[in-house]
Amino acid sequence: LSMCSKLCYAIGGAPNQVAGSAASFFLQIYLLDIAHITPFHASLVLFIGKASGAVTDPVAGFFISKSRWTKIGRLMPWVLACTPFTIVSYFLMWYLPPFVSGRVAWYLTFHCLFQALTTLFQVPYSALTMFLSTDQKDRDSATAYRMTMEVLGTLIGAALQGQIVASAHVSPHCTVNPSVNTTDSWHDTPSIPDPSDPLSHQVIYMIAAGVIAGVYLLGIVVLFLGVKERDDPYALNSDRAIPFCKGLALTMKHGPYVKLTASFLLISTAVQLEQGNFVLFCTHAAGLRNHFQYLVVTILVSAAVSVPFWQKFLQRFGKKCAACGISWMIPFAVMLVTIPNLILAYFVAFVSGLSIAASLLLPWSMLPDVVDNFRLQNPHGKGHETIFYSSYVFFTKMSAGIGLGISAAGLEFTGYRPGICRQSDDVILTLKLLIGAVPAILILLGLFILLFYPITEESRKETKLALEELR
């Protein structure tokens, strides 16, 4: 693969991460503090939205596996067809409708649409890795390019959204020293803008949505013009396409795939909890409401610049060994929760970025190895690639949706009140648990399961040689 092809492929994945990052970091606080819906309803929007995206995964995998080859490939038409609808649904997801009673239904509808449409993009796009090259090093390299650009996309999305909407969450009256003014009115002062202000909060969020929608469109154009999808590189004349249901049953029995998926669905849930609650934690529990956008950027810059490091690390020491880097965020996150210091917060953000980069790169680098291993055990079947990718995305999205839903419901249970400067002690404790203890437990459980993942560097080489003989 040429560097240009790898770069264009990587750029194509960035827009999904730009939009997804903005939603991950800011949608929960937007629903609570701007749209003013209850934490319980916000938890429903977040969970059902993620669940709709997860349910769409196997459905997308089924229809894509039935697709015929066209002049631009079998996967590329799906990527192109869903893009305009994705942009519209994303834009409307940040729109504040003039009615109040139906706002929950509005956000639920467009969040579900956005998640489902991004799935229709993500499944064929990620499966495209298997149709760029038959060489493992080429695929690993393309995956590293893709992860670097996706982390950069995450950075761009969070930075754009954070810089544009920061003024919607910074209120001068919230900087009052509570030891000086301890009246109830200080605690209950809402941070809602003057409706006559032309740059009111909802308009600011719409501007951010429009900018990110433009980035989305640009990335898809680069992907289409710069990447050529090759016909099934593993196919033999005697091969027969595996029926989707049969293929799904076989993947669920494939030991390496089950262990990889179980491990990273726990790890990805931990990362989603960190992303979904980080802005709320900085705003309400750590006294860092004026710094949250810069801390988010620090996390993502650290993640972006460390992806090449992790790629070199896993090439030299192996992919299972590189997984230890995911655990680095645990002690520092616990320190931030117990000692909410500004300098420490930036250091924690930097280390968290390193861990997040490893958690993003490793599963997508290991999944092609699992597909190769399955191919070797089922030498006369084809069309299983999209089954693996769609079911993997299904499980990770479903687990993340459950995690985010439970976290928002926890805030409702402990008495979160939108628009006030200072939350109750129970809410602050809940945010600390969602940032520190819960992700730590999930990451440790995920890494423990990964110890039993059977594919080693030696077995990868043996599989590569065996597939070359098969071809």
Side-chain angles (χ1 to χ4, degrees), residues 193-205:
D194 183 351
S196 62
D197 183 3
L199 289 178
S200 60
H201 293 182
Q202 54 266 38
V203 175
I204 293 173
Y205 267 94

Side-chain angles (χ1 to χ4, degrees), residues 259-269 323 326 358-363 366 392 396 399 446-447 449-450:
K259 293 179 176 67
L260 179 71
T261 303
S263 172
F264 278 98
L265 69 85
L266 292 171
I267 293 170
S268 65
T269 301
I326 300 172
S359 70
L360 291 174
L361 176 63
L362 281 172
M366 298 166 84
Y392 175 77
T396 53
S399 65
L447 293 177
I449 294 172
L450 197 63

Side-chain angles (χ1 to χ4, degrees), residues 8 18 58 62 131 186 204 209 243 273 280 294 372 399 435 468:
C8 289
V18 171
F62 174 79
F131 298 95
W186 183 85
I204 293 173
L273 284 173
L280 281 170
Y294 306 112
D372 279 347
S399 65
I435 288 292
E468 288 175 353

Side-chain angles (χ1 to χ4, degrees), residues 71 85 159 449:
K71 291 182 179 180
F85 301 102
I449 294 172

